[in-house]
Amino acid sequence: MKALSLHSIPLFADYPGKSQDDPLDLAAQIQALVPGYTRLPASVLNEDLLIIQDKAPLSPTQRLVVLIPPGEIDETALVSRVWQLAASSSFNVLYLTLSADTNQITYYRRRVATLAAMTRSQNVRAHGSVSIEKNRNRSLNQTLQAGDLLVCLSSHKVSKFLVWRKPLGELLATALGVPVYLVGGFTIGSSPQ
């Protein structure tokens, strides 16, 4: 069994980087994944976290893969946050939702298409996709490419061992070995019927 050692980095624009008690140059690691983070307002970064693997080589990010939870969220605020992040670093965006319920596929397709349309601009290309794969990890392994940064809401929690609820981003960072950007400040409502 392989164990990954993870650490989370708070994303403050004035993050000090290298220090005597922190041998890793965290600012350089953040810069490698999100080159334009220093141009983002501090209010955007206050609640966000970046999860990266210890001692894993970081490739420059080219695309944000934003996982959309099944519940209701403030989509306008999410689009604004994703657009700021993408535009600051010239990233492409893929909105992805996972739905094993075939009755909801039309709703989710319309939802991710709307999010992509609201995100597109002169500098940002955005698309939407719905995966009907029942296994979340398999679906993401099929979708993720080199240079992708997975974006999850920090409030998006899933059951683990039928009892505990853990943030989805933490589980995916461990299971897939990919960097995950956790966007804070969102609440997730109930799923539409």
Side-chain angles (χ1 to χ4, degrees):
M1 183 168 134
K2 191 183 237 185
L4 296 175
S5 177
L6 303 173
H7 61 277
S8 299
I9 304 170
L11 290 171
F12 296 109
D14 59 349
Y15 195 82
K18 218 175 227 185
S19 69
Q20 289 178 321
D21 50 344
D22 185 7
L24 297 173
D25 185 1
L26 297 180
Q29 291 182 43
I30 295 171
Q31 193 75 24
L33 288 172
V34 188
Y37 90 98
T38 56
R39 293 188 295 271
L40 295 171
S43 61
V44 169
L45 300 173
N46 281 338
E47 297 180 35
D48 295 357
L49 285 174
L50 181 63
I51 301 173
I52 58 173
Q53 289 69 31
D54 286 336
K55 300 178 184 173
L58 298 175
S59 60
T61 302
Q62 298 173 9
R63 179 175 74 162
L64 302 176
V65 177
V66 184
L67 277 183
I68 303 300
E72 293 296 321
I73 55 173
D74 183 349
E75 293 179 354
T76 304
L78 177 62
V79 165
S80 175
R81 294 284 300 280
V82 170
W83 183 86
Q84 285 178 319
L85 187 61
S88 71
S89 301
S90 300
F91 294 147
N92 293 326
V93 177
L94 172 65
Y95 288 101
L96 177 66
T97 191
L98 310 171
S99 174
D101 183 0
T102 56
N103 296 328
Q104 296 285 343
I105 290 176
T106 303
Y107 166 76
Y108 287 121
R109 282 190 181 143
R110 186 173 33 247
R111 187 179 192 193
V112 295
T114 301
L115 292 170
M118 291 169 54
T119 305
R120 276 187 208 108
S121 70
Q122 193 172 21
N123 300 328
V124 177
R125 290 184 8 205
H127 305 286
S129 180
V130 177
S131 174
I132 57 172
E133 175 72 49
K134 291 184 183 194
N135 183 306
R136 178 186 314 114
N137 293 355
R138 190 176 315 138
S139 175
L140 286 169
N141 276 327
Q142 293 170 356
T143 302
L144 293 175
Q145 305 168 356
D148 282 351
L149 177 60
L150 193 56
V151 178
C152 297
L153 300 182
S154 59
S155 57
H156 190 179
K157 296 186 179 189
V158 293
S159 297
K160 183 174 181 179
F161 303 120
L162 301 175
V163 180
W164 300 328
R165 296 198 42 87
K166 287 199 71 167
L168 177 63
E170 290 179 20
L171 293 174
L172 293 175
T174 303
L176 303 176
V178 298
V180 176
Y181 188 100
L182 293 176
V183 179
F186 285 88
T187 56
I188 302 173
S190 58
S191 299
Q193 296 301 319

